Amino acid sequence: MPPKSESLQAATATSHSDHSSGSIDPIVHLIQILPYSFLRPPRLRLKLPTLTLPSPMTVYALVLLTYFMVVSGFVYDVIVEPPGIGSTQDHVTGSVRPVVFLPGRVNGQYIIEGLSSGFMFVLGGVGIVLMDLALDRNRAKSVKVSYATAGISSVVLAYVMSMLFIRIKIPGYLH
């Protein structure tokens, strides 16, 4: 607890700081008070904007689009600016053939390579969502079977194609 002399000084300091301007000049006081004695702020009837939440399907589509952009290497494509598709010359005929996958380089890609790999990853994710929808008890059995078939086939196709892409990219992988 502070001594009594300090508490008296603190009380005196707070009473002096209660004035609105902190100045004893009457002109400053008039400048602060006079304009507001006859000026009144207008009463505005502004409506606040109402923000509605997006539907769950919109959120799902945005998340899926973001996932596609991340796994397809969109940031890499913007920064490095690789070509859309590559080309190689055939040793026998001398003709130029298009190449979709950049062989031998794990940390490099063509734009089409990234987009096709990203599409396969998204296809696998959608397949998992379809398999989850097939477990809903409130759906008809034919719809559940359709969801399960589409989901399983999407996951299998995405896995097989991704493994094919890896084998094209790295020729001796998993042999």
Side-chain angles (χ1 to χ4, degrees):
M1 197 159 156
K4 289 185 180 181
S5 63
E6 288 180 15
S7 62
L8 283 175
Q9 289 173 355
T12 311
T14 56
S15 67
H16 287 302
S17 65
D18 287 343
H19 298 298
S20 61
S21 66
S23 174
I24 57 172
D25 188 10
I27 296 176
V28 173
H29 188 64
L30 282 176
I31 291 174
Q32 288 180 347
I33 299 295
L34 186 63
Y36 301 109
S37 63
F38 61 91
L39 290 176
R40 300 278 180 232
R43 279 195 272 163
L44 299 175
R45 292 183 184 98
L46 297 176
K47 293 182 181 178
L48 291 175
T50 58
L51 298 174
T52 58
L53 291 176
S55 69
M57 203 55 168
T58 305
V59 173
Y60 176 70
L62 288 175
V63 167
L64 203 62
L65 179 69
T66 305
Y67 177 70
F68 172 74
M69 290 174 66
V70 167
V71 298
S72 66
F74 180 76
V75 175
Y76 173 83
D77 292 342
V78 168
I79 292 172
V80 176
E81 296 178 2
I85 195 166
S87 62
T88 184
Q89 191 170 9
D90 191 8
H91 299 294
V92 179
T93 61
S95 63
V96 177
R97 295 182 313 135
V99 176
V100 176
F101 291 95
L102 186 61
R105 284 190 53 202
V106 181
N107 58 350
Q109 70 178 15
Y110 294 127
I111 293 175
I112 296 296
E113 175 184 355
L115 293 177
S116 57
S117 297
F119 177 74
M120 287 302 136
F121 292 148
V122 168
L123 182 66
V126 168
I128 291 172
V129 170
L130 288 174
M131 288 190 294
D132 180 57
L133 289 174
L135 296 175
D136 190 11
R137 295 178 188 256
N138 298 329
R139 298 191 193 278
K141 186 172 183 176
S142 62
V143 174
K144 289 176 17 175
V145 168
S146 298
Y147 279 164
T149 305
I152 291 171
S153 60
S154 295
V155 169
V156 168
L157 179 68
Y159 175 76
V160 169
M161 292 303 290
S162 295
M163 291 305 292
L164 177 69
F165 291 169
I166 289 175
R167 287 196 180 113
I168 291 172
K169 183 105 174 134
I170 308 167
Y173 186 70
L174 292 179
H175 284 289

